[in-house]
Amino acid sequence: MFDHLNNSVYNFLFDSIINSYLITHCNQDPPTSPQYGLVVHSHTDYYAPIAYPAVADLALRVNKLGRSSVTYEVAVFERGINAVCAAGEFVHVFVDRATGRPAQSGLGEALRLGLEKLRVGDAGEAGKARSTKL
């Protein structure tokens, strides 16, 4: 209606790329995994609109990996254009399914290993960021 992606669609895209990665690369099964991530913080910075019928491409990386939390960064690009249209941050706290409290045991091994692959290196060295198209 406004000839661009609505702000709420960006959050949907961020949630989708993160959860797709968790399922595919971190052995997470949303209904049965002993831990699941709750979004405790999110924000988005907008730089340029994406207008219909353009296709959005997303890139995902992990900026911080804590004991039971993960800070993700997602960049949104319009296909064929190298400039970032929007960048967002999501913070998950992984909680135990049984208690709903932050995971006392920390992130599970498969989850941590999968997220390490996306983590930006220390001392400003950029890690490998995976791109996923939605």
Side-chain angles (χ1 to χ4, degrees), residues 2 5 11 15 29 34 40 43 67-69 72 75 77 80 86-87 90 95 97 107 110 123-124 130 134:
F2 298 108
L5 286 181
N11 280 332
D15 194 56
D29 181 41
V40 297
H43 83 265
R67 178 171 163 72
S68 62
S69 65
Y72 308 93
F77 301 86
F90 254 44
V95 299
R97 184 172 300 281
L107 302 173
R130 294 197 192 274
L134 296 178

PDB file of all heavy atoms in Angstrom, residues 2 5 11 15 29 34 40 43 67-69 72 75 77 80 86-87 90 95 97 107 110 123-124 130 134:
ATOM      1  N   PHE A   2       2.008   1.232   0.722  1.00  0.00           N
ATOM      2  CA  PHE A   2       2.881   2.400   0.794  1.00  0.00           C
ATOM      3  C   PHE A   2       4.034   2.319  -0.198  1.00  0.00           C
ATOM      4  O   PHE A   2       4.933   3.138  -0.159  1.00  0.00           O
ATOM      5  CB  PHE A   2       3.440   2.563   2.211  1.00  0.00           C
ATOM      6  CG  PHE A   2       2.372   2.783   3.235  1.00  0.00           C
ATOM      7  CD1 PHE A   2       2.053   1.788   4.129  1.00  0.00           C
ATOM      8  CD2 PHE A   2       1.671   3.978   3.285  1.00  0.00           C
ATOM      9  CE1 PHE A   2       1.066   1.981   5.077  1.00  0.00           C
ATOM     10  CE2 PHE A   2       0.679   4.177   4.223  1.00  0.00           C
ATOM     11  CZ  PHE A   2       0.371   3.175   5.114  1.00  0.00           C
ATOM     12  N   LEU A   5       8.382  -1.970   1.916  1.00  0.00           N
ATOM     13  CA  LEU A   5       8.171  -2.935   3.003  1.00  0.00           C
ATOM     14  C   LEU A   5       7.795  -2.190   4.277  1.00  0.00           C
ATOM     15  O   LEU A   5       8.468  -1.237   4.669  1.00  0.00           O
ATOM     16  CB  LEU A   5       9.441  -3.737   3.279  1.00  0.00           C
ATOM     17  CG  LEU A   5       9.841  -4.813   2.293  1.00  0.00           C
ATOM     18  CD1 LEU A   5      11.113  -5.508   2.772  1.00  0.00           C
ATOM     19  CD2 LEU A   5       8.743  -5.835   2.108  1.00  0.00           C
ATOM     20  N   ASN A  11      10.973  -7.076  10.993  1.00  0.00           N
ATOM     21  CA  ASN A  11      11.069  -7.953  12.158  1.00  0.00           C
ATOM     22  C   ASN A  11      10.712  -9.392  11.804  1.00  0.00           C
ATOM     23  O   ASN A  11      11.336 -10.333  12.296  1.00  0.00           O
ATOM     24  CB  ASN A  11      10.175  -7.457  13.299  1.00  0.00           C
ATOM     25  CG  ASN A  11      10.806  -6.329  14.059  1.00  0.00           C
ATOM     26  OD1 ASN A  11      12.021  -6.218  14.139  1.00  0.00           O
ATOM     27  ND2 ASN A  11       9.985  -5.479  14.626  1.00  0.00           N
ATOM     28  N   ASP A  15      13.372 -12.468  12.277  1.00  0.00           N
ATOM     29  CA  ASP A  15      12.992 -13.661  13.034  1.00  0.00           C
ATOM     30  C   ASP A  15      13.080 -14.903  12.156  1.00  0.00           C
ATOM     31  O   ASP A  15      13.550 -15.960  12.606  1.00  0.00           O
ATOM     32  CB  ASP A  15      11.573 -13.473  13.581  1.00  0.00           C
ATOM     33  CG  ASP A  15      11.206 -14.486  14.635  1.00  0.00           C
ATOM     34  OD1 ASP A  15      11.934 -14.587  15.641  1.00  0.00           O
ATOM     35  OD2 ASP A  15      10.178 -15.172  14.472  1.00  0.00           O
ATOM     36  N   ASP A  29      14.828 -27.746  17.312  1.00  0.00           N
ATOM     37  CA  ASP A  29      13.487 -28.134  16.896  1.00  0.00           C
ATOM     38  C   ASP A  29      12.528 -27.358  17.788  1.00  0.00           C
ATOM     39  O   ASP A  29      12.380 -27.686  18.971  1.00  0.00           O
ATOM     40  CB  ASP A  29      13.300 -29.646  17.058  1.00  0.00           C
ATOM     41  CG  ASP A  29      11.918 -30.090  16.622  1.00  0.00           C
ATOM     42  OD1 ASP A  29      11.419 -29.587  15.604  1.00  0.00           O
ATOM     43  OD2 ASP A  29      11.332 -30.944  17.325  1.00  0.00           O
ATOM     44  N   PRO A  34      15.131 -28.744  24.261  1.00  0.00           N
ATOM     45  CA  PRO A  34      15.083 -28.465  25.694  1.00  0.00           C
ATOM     46  C   PRO A  34      15.267 -26.978  26.020  1.00  0.00           C
ATOM     47  O   PRO A  34      14.897 -26.525  27.097  1.00  0.00           O
ATOM     48  CB  PRO A  34      16.226 -29.295  26.275  1.00  0.00           C
ATOM     49  CG  PRO A  34      17.069 -29.702  25.134  1.00  0.00           C
ATOM     50  CD  PRO A  34      16.238 -29.608  23.894  1.00  0.00           C
ATOM     51  N   VAL A  40      14.653 -10.655  23.709  1.00  0.00           N
ATOM     52  CA  VAL A  40      14.590  -9.714  24.825  1.00  0.00           C
ATOM     53  C   VAL A  40      14.927  -8.289  24.380  1.00  0.00           C
ATOM     54  O   VAL A  40      14.738  -7.343  25.149  1.00  0.00           O
ATOM     55  CB  VAL A  40      15.521 -10.145  25.988  1.00  0.00           C
ATOM     56  CG1 VAL A  40      15.064 -11.483  26.557  1.00  0.00           C
ATOM     57  CG2 VAL A  40      16.966 -10.205  25.557  1.00  0.00           C
ATOM     58  N   HIS A  43      16.099  -3.990  17.573  1.00  0.00           N
ATOM     59  CA  HIS A  43      15.975  -2.656  16.983  1.00  0.00           C
ATOM     60  C   HIS A  43      16.391  -2.723  15.524  1.00  0.00           C
ATOM     61  O   HIS A  43      17.068  -3.656  15.104  1.00  0.00           O
ATOM     62  CB  HIS A  43      16.779  -1.594  17.749  1.00  0.00           C
ATOM     63  CG  HIS A  43      18.226  -1.539  17.389  1.00  0.00           C
ATOM     64  ND1 HIS A  43      19.192  -2.189  18.089  1.00  0.00           N
ATOM     65  CD2 HIS A  43      18.875  -0.909  16.372  1.00  0.00           C
ATOM     66  CE1 HIS A  43      20.373  -1.977  17.528  1.00  0.00           C
ATOM     67  NE2 HIS A  43      20.211  -1.201  16.498  1.00  0.00           N
ATOM     68  N   ARG A  67      26.802 -16.772  27.704  1.00  0.00           N
ATOM     69  CA  ARG A  67      26.551 -18.083  28.320  1.00  0.00           C
ATOM     70  C   ARG A  67      25.183 -18.637  27.903  1.00  0.00           C
ATOM     71  O   ARG A  67      25.063 -19.794  27.545  1.00  0.00           O
ATOM     72  CB  ARG A  67      26.637 -17.959  29.835  1.00  0.00           C
ATOM     73  CG  ARG A  67      26.361 -19.238  30.576  1.00  0.00           C
ATOM     74  CD  ARG A  67      26.676 -19.095  32.062  1.00  0.00           C
ATOM     75  NE  ARG A  67      26.070 -20.139  32.852  1.00  0.00           N
ATOM     76  CZ  ARG A  67      26.474 -21.403  32.858  1.00  0.00           C
ATOM     77  NH1 ARG A  67      27.473 -21.778  32.093  1.00  0.00           N
ATOM     78  NH2 ARG A  67      25.871 -22.290  33.617  1.00  0.00           N
ATOM     79  N   SER A  68      24.151 -17.780  27.947  1.00  0.00           N
ATOM     80  CA  SER A  68      22.818 -18.221  27.542  1.00  0.00           C
ATOM     81  C   SER A  68      22.160 -17.224  26.580  1.00  0.00           C
ATOM     82  O   SER A  68      20.976 -17.339  26.297  1.00  0.00           O
ATOM     83  CB  SER A  68      21.926 -18.427  28.769  1.00  0.00           C
ATOM     84  OG  SER A  68      21.752 -17.213  29.473  1.00  0.00           O
ATOM     85  N   SER A  69      22.940 -16.266  26.080  1.00  0.00           N
ATOM     86  CA  SER A  69      22.369 -15.256  25.183  1.00  0.00           C
ATOM     87  C   SER A  69      23.185 -15.123  23.902  1.00  0.00           C
ATOM     88  O   SER A  69      24.363 -15.468  23.865  1.00  0.00           O
ATOM     89  CB  SER A  69      22.295 -13.900  25.883  1.00  0.00           C
ATOM     90  OG  SER A  69      23.585 -13.418  26.160  1.00  0.00           O
ATOM     91  N   TYR A  72      22.456 -11.120  17.592  1.00  0.00           N
ATOM     92  CA  TYR A  72      22.534 -11.288  16.139  1.00  0.00           C
ATOM     93  C   TYR A  72      22.487  -9.921  15.466  1.00  0.00           C
ATOM     94  O   TYR A  72      21.873  -8.995  15.984  1.00  0.00           O
ATOM     95  CB  TYR A  72      21.322 -12.051  15.600  1.00  0.00           C
ATOM     96  CG  TYR A  72      21.007 -13.355  16.252  1.00  0.00           C
ATOM     97  CD1 TYR A  72      20.103 -13.423  17.307  1.00  0.00           C
ATOM     98  CD2 TYR A  72      21.571 -14.541  15.799  1.00  0.00           C
ATOM     99  CE1 TYR A  72      19.773 -14.623  17.893  1.00  0.00           C
ATOM    100  CE2 TYR A  72      21.239 -15.747  16.383  1.00  0.00           C
ATOM    101  CZ  TYR A  72      20.341 -15.793  17.432  1.00  0.00           C
ATOM    102  OH  TYR A  72      20.009 -16.986  18.010  1.00  0.00           O
ATOM    103  N   ALA A  75      21.441  -7.852   8.130  1.00  0.00           N
ATOM    104  CA  ALA A  75      21.454  -6.777   7.135  1.00  0.00           C
ATOM    105  C   ALA A  75      20.481  -7.145   6.026  1.00  0.00           C
ATOM    106  O   ALA A  75      20.391  -8.311   5.624  1.00  0.00           O
ATOM    107  CB  ALA A  75      22.856  -6.581   6.570  1.00  0.00           C
ATOM    108  N   PHE A  77      19.313  -6.278   2.150  1.00  0.00           N
ATOM    109  CA  PHE A  77      19.739  -5.698   0.878  1.00  0.00           C
ATOM    110  C   PHE A  77      18.617  -5.868  -0.134  1.00  0.00           C
ATOM    111  O   PHE A  77      17.863  -6.834  -0.072  1.00  0.00           O
ATOM    112  CB  PHE A  77      20.969  -6.432   0.319  1.00  0.00           C
ATOM    113  CG  PHE A  77      22.161  -6.409   1.209  1.00  0.00           C
ATOM    114  CD1 PHE A  77      22.322  -7.366   2.214  1.00  0.00           C
ATOM    115  CD2 PHE A  77      23.142  -5.447   1.047  1.00  0.00           C
ATOM    116  CE1 PHE A  77      23.435  -7.351   3.036  1.00  0.00           C
ATOM    117  CE2 PHE A  77      24.259  -5.427   1.861  1.00  0.00           C
ATOM    118  CZ  PHE A  77      24.400  -6.381   2.864  1.00  0.00           C
ATOM    119  N   GLY A  80      20.587  -7.266  -6.024  1.00  0.00           N
ATOM    120  CA  GLY A  80      21.274  -6.572  -7.094  1.00  0.00           C
ATOM    121  C   GLY A  80      21.878  -5.240  -6.696  1.00  0.00           C
ATOM    122  O   GLY A  80      22.557  -4.606  -7.497  1.00  0.00           O
ATOM    123  N   ALA A  86      18.622  -1.837   5.400  1.00  0.00           N
ATOM    124  CA  ALA A  86      18.285  -1.806   6.827  1.00  0.00           C
ATOM    125  C   ALA A  86      19.219  -2.751   7.559  1.00  0.00           C
ATOM    126  O   ALA A  86      19.694  -3.737   6.990  1.00  0.00           O
ATOM    127  CB  ALA A  86      16.836  -2.210   7.060  1.00  0.00           C
ATOM    128  N   ALA A  87      19.475  -2.445   8.810  1.00  0.00           N
ATOM    129  CA  ALA A  87      20.278  -3.322   9.662  1.00  0.00           C
ATOM    130  C   ALA A  87      19.567  -3.432  10.997  1.00  0.00           C
ATOM    131  O   ALA A  87      19.060  -2.441  11.526  1.00  0.00           O
ATOM    132  CB  ALA A  87      21.683  -2.768   9.851  1.00  0.00           C
ATOM    133  N   PHE A  90      18.947  -8.399  17.046  1.00  0.00           N
ATOM    134  CA  PHE A  90      18.053  -9.227  17.849  1.00  0.00           C
ATOM    135  C   PHE A  90      18.890  -9.840  18.947  1.00  0.00           C
ATOM    136  O   PHE A  90      20.002 -10.305  18.686  1.00  0.00           O
ATOM    137  CB  PHE A  90      17.489 -10.373  16.994  1.00  0.00           C
ATOM    138  CG  PHE A  90      16.046 -10.246  16.581  1.00  0.00           C
ATOM    139  CD1 PHE A  90      15.528  -9.060  16.108  1.00  0.00           C
ATOM    140  CD2 PHE A  90      15.211 -11.347  16.649  1.00  0.00           C
ATOM    141  CE1 PHE A  90      14.212  -8.964  15.716  1.00  0.00           C
ATOM    142  CE2 PHE A  90      13.900 -11.271  16.247  1.00  0.00           C
ATOM    143  CZ  PHE A  90      13.390 -10.082  15.776  1.00  0.00           C
ATOM    144  N   VAL A  95      16.245 -20.096  27.130  1.00  0.00           N
ATOM    145  CA  VAL A  95      15.672 -20.517  28.406  1.00  0.00           C
ATOM    146  C   VAL A  95      15.389 -22.017  28.369  1.00  0.00           C
ATOM    147  O   VAL A  95      15.193 -22.601  27.299  1.00  0.00           O
ATOM    148  CB  VAL A  95      14.379 -19.736  28.729  1.00  0.00           C
ATOM    149  CG1 VAL A  95      14.653 -18.243  28.850  1.00  0.00           C
ATOM    150  CG2 VAL A  95      13.294 -20.000  27.709  1.00  0.00           C
ATOM    151  N   ARG A  97      13.122 -25.087  28.635  1.00  0.00           N
ATOM    152  CA  ARG A  97      11.700 -25.282  28.343  1.00  0.00           C
ATOM    153  C   ARG A  97      10.917 -25.612  29.619  1.00  0.00           C
ATOM    154  O   ARG A  97       9.811 -25.127  29.817  1.00  0.00           O
ATOM    155  CB  ARG A  97      11.522 -26.404  27.307  1.00  0.00           C
ATOM    156  CG  ARG A  97      10.077 -26.587  26.886  1.00  0.00           C
ATOM    157  CD  ARG A  97       9.943 -27.552  25.722  1.00  0.00           C
ATOM    158  NE  ARG A  97      10.668 -27.100  24.557  1.00  0.00           N
ATOM    159  CZ  ARG A  97      10.257 -26.154  23.700  1.00  0.00           C
ATOM    160  NH1 ARG A  97       9.123 -25.537  23.907  1.00  0.00           N
ATOM    161  NH2 ARG A  97      10.979 -25.812  22.658  1.00  0.00           N
ATOM    162  N   LEU A 107      24.300 -22.490  26.694  1.00  0.00           N
ATOM    163  CA  LEU A 107      23.859 -22.957  25.385  1.00  0.00           C
ATOM    164  C   LEU A 107      24.319 -24.397  25.182  1.00  0.00           C
ATOM    165  O   LEU A 107      25.442 -24.745  25.543  1.00  0.00           O
ATOM    166  CB  LEU A 107      24.445 -22.074  24.284  1.00  0.00           C
ATOM    167  CG  LEU A 107      24.109 -20.595  24.352  1.00  0.00           C
ATOM    168  CD1 LEU A 107      24.896 -19.828  23.297  1.00  0.00           C
ATOM    169  CD2 LEU A 107      22.623 -20.361  24.181  1.00  0.00           C
ATOM    170  N   ALA A 110      25.525 -28.260  20.372  1.00  0.00           N
ATOM    171  CA  ALA A 110      25.187 -28.092  18.952  1.00  0.00           C
ATOM    172  C   ALA A 110      24.799 -26.642  18.661  1.00  0.00           C
ATOM    173  O   ALA A 110      25.176 -26.087  17.623  1.00  0.00           O
ATOM    174  CB  ALA A 110      24.055 -29.036  18.557  1.00  0.00           C
ATOM    175  N   ALA A 123      38.729  -8.569  18.369  1.00  0.00           N
ATOM    176  CA  ALA A 123      39.650  -7.527  17.904  1.00  0.00           C
ATOM    177  C   ALA A 123      39.235  -6.957  16.552  1.00  0.00           C
ATOM    178  O   ALA A 123      40.055  -6.550  15.748  1.00  0.00           O
ATOM    179  CB  ALA A 123      41.075  -8.062  17.838  1.00  0.00           C
ATOM    180  N   GLY A 124      37.907  -6.976  16.297  1.00  0.00           N
ATOM    181  CA  GLY A 124      37.402  -6.341  15.093  1.00  0.00           C
ATOM    182  C   GLY A 124      37.557  -7.155  13.820  1.00  0.00           C
ATOM    183  O   GLY A 124      37.164  -6.732  12.764  1.00  0.00           O
ATOM    184  N   ARG A 130      27.067 -15.679   6.941  1.00  0.00           N
ATOM    185  CA  ARG A 130      26.294 -16.436   5.959  1.00  0.00           C
ATOM    186  C   ARG A 130      25.184 -15.552   5.414  1.00  0.00           C
ATOM    187  O   ARG A 130      24.581 -14.786   6.149  1.00  0.00           O
ATOM    188  CB  ARG A 130      25.668 -17.657   6.606  1.00  0.00           C
ATOM    189  CG  ARG A 130      26.652 -18.670   7.069  1.00  0.00           C
ATOM    190  CD  ARG A 130      25.932 -19.982   7.299  1.00  0.00           C
ATOM    191  NE  ARG A 130      26.794 -20.881   8.013  1.00  0.00           N
ATOM    192  CZ  ARG A 130      27.682 -21.663   7.427  1.00  0.00           C
ATOM    193  NH1 ARG A 130      27.850 -21.631   6.146  1.00  0.00           N
ATOM    194  NH2 ARG A 130      28.434 -22.472   8.138  1.00  0.00           N
ATOM    195  N   LEU A 134      15.474 -15.075   1.473  1.00  0.00           N
ATOM    196  CA  LEU A 134      14.101 -15.431   1.844  1.00  0.00           C
ATOM    197  C   LEU A 134      13.138 -14.976   0.773  1.00  0.00           C
ATOM    198  O   LEU A 134      13.322 -14.003   0.142  1.00  0.00           O
ATOM    199  CB  LEU A 134      13.723 -14.768   3.175  1.00  0.00           C
ATOM    200  CG  LEU A 134      14.520 -15.219   4.378  1.00  0.00           C
ATOM    201  CD1 LEU A 134      14.073 -14.452   5.598  1.00  0.00           C
ATOM    202  CD2 LEU A 134      14.333 -16.691   4.617  1.00  0.00           C
TER     203      LEU A 134
END
